Amino acid sequence: MAKEIRIKVDDETYEELQRLAADDHQEPDQYASKRLAADLARTRFLEAAQAFAEEHGQAFADRFGAGASSHAA
């Protein structure tokens, strides 16, 4: 179920949002919703990658090497 949120932005931010939305042939609210969802998905991905690296990073480095000097393919 979709939820509605309201946020306030300054005039400069809204003008930029309008420009970007127009470039993407969308209404500003639709464009902002799409960008927010994409940003949240990116944040979830980065948090999961960090958690993976913290949990399995050493084992991965031991198996495949680490850094620019490794010979990992």
Side-chain angles (χ1 to χ4, degrees):
M1 179 178 194
K3 301 288 185 192
E4 181 177 325
I5 61 172
R6 292 181 181 264
I7 59 170
K8 291 185 182 215
V9 296
D10 60 41
D11 290 340
E12 183 179 336
T13 300
Y14 189 74
E15 288 170 8
E16 181 71 4
L17 177 64
Q18 285 180 309
R19 185 186 66 75
L20 292 169
D23 290 348
D24 207 32
H25 307 289
Q26 294 185 15
E27 293 297 318
D29 58 336
Q30 293 170 329
Y31 183 80
S33 177
K34 181 180 85 170
R35 291 292 304 260
L36 177 59
D39 188 56
L40 291 172
R42 181 177 189 275
T43 298
R44 284 192 302 270
F45 172 81
L46 293 175
E47 288 172 350
Q50 182 176 358
F52 178 88
E54 289 171 357
E55 184 174 344
H56 303 288
Q58 188 58 53
F60 191 89
D62 292 346
R63 171 70 171 92
F64 299 105
S69 64
S70 72
H71 300 289

